Amino acid sequence: MDVFPFNRFELGSKSTIEDFVTINNGVGDVIIGDKTMIGIGSVIIGPVTIGNHVMLAQNIVVSGLNHGYEDPNVPPSLQKETKKLIVISDDVWIGANSVITAGVTIGKHVVVGAGSVVTKDIPDYSVAVGNPARIIKQYSFNEGEWKKN
């Protein structure tokens, strides 16, 4: 774990970080809620807030960090870093090998299909899949069922 004393790192009650996970709060806080599971081989780079009862499967990348690339005369590794908070709300399940990009908010009770790349916010009670991820279902409280988009 690359956990630094100048940014926050919090791990909620009864949460689990499995083997070979990298947690890095060097550029922003990493807050993980209660009863949340971070799967084998995942990478979490702040700033990131993860809610309660969240399941991140294996090999997930959640990174609030990016490097600039705009100046063609300077390698991206030497350009200014940017950071944007990622929020993963309560009761979310993210499938294996997915990527969550900087600045994204994932709503409550969202399912992200395996191998998805999430580049935009996903509203509450949705199922999103693909690269880039798109919403394929949403729960209708009026009808009491999941509806295809």
Side-chain angles (χ1 to χ4, degrees), residues 65-131:
L65 174 67
N66 273 318
H67 288 274
Y69 63 88
E70 292 79 8
D71 186 342
N73 300 309
V74 178
S77 63
L78 298 177
Q79 293 194 38
K80 182 179 178 181
E81 296 172 347
T82 61
K83 60 183 180 177
K84 292 183 182 175
L85 175 65
I86 294 172
V87 176
I88 300 174
S89 301
D90 295 343
D91 309 330
V92 168
W93 174 21
I94 299 177
N97 301 307
S98 293
V99 176
I100 313 302
T101 61
V104 165
T105 294
I106 297 177
K108 182 178 175 131
H109 203 98
V110 165
V111 176
V112 175
S116 296
V117 178
V118 181
T119 61
K120 295 181 180 175
D121 294 352
I122 301 175
D124 295 347
Y125 302 96
S126 297
V127 176
V129 300
N131 180 5

Side-chain angles (χ1 to χ4, degrees), residues 2 9 55 59 64 66 71 73 90 92 103 128 134 139 142:
D2 292 331
F9 171 69
M55 296 187 302
N59 302 310
N66 273 318
D71 186 342
N73 300 309
D90 295 343
V92 168
R134 63 182 177 78
Y139 189 78
N142 291 336

Side-chain angles (χ1 to χ4, degrees), residues 9-79:
F9 171 69
E10 295 179 15
L11 181 62
S13 172
K14 298 184 181 177
S15 288
T16 303
I17 297 174
E18 293 186 338
D19 289 338
F20 309 109
V21 171
T22 299
I23 305 282
N24 184 305
N25 72 338
V27 296
D29 299 340
V30 174
I31 310 299
I32 299 170
D34 298 334
K35 298 179 183 173
T36 288
M37 194 272 307
I38 310 296
I40 295 170
S42 294
V43 175
I44 311 293
I45 300 172
V48 174
T49 298
I50 300 173
N52 302 314
H53 295 275
V54 173
M55 296 187 302
L56 271 64
Q58 302 77 30
N59 302 310
I60 307 296
V61 175
V62 179
S63 179
L65 174 67
N66 273 318
H67 288 274
Y69 63 88
E70 292 79 8
D71 186 342
N73 300 309
V74 178
S77 63
L78 298 177
Q79 293 194 38

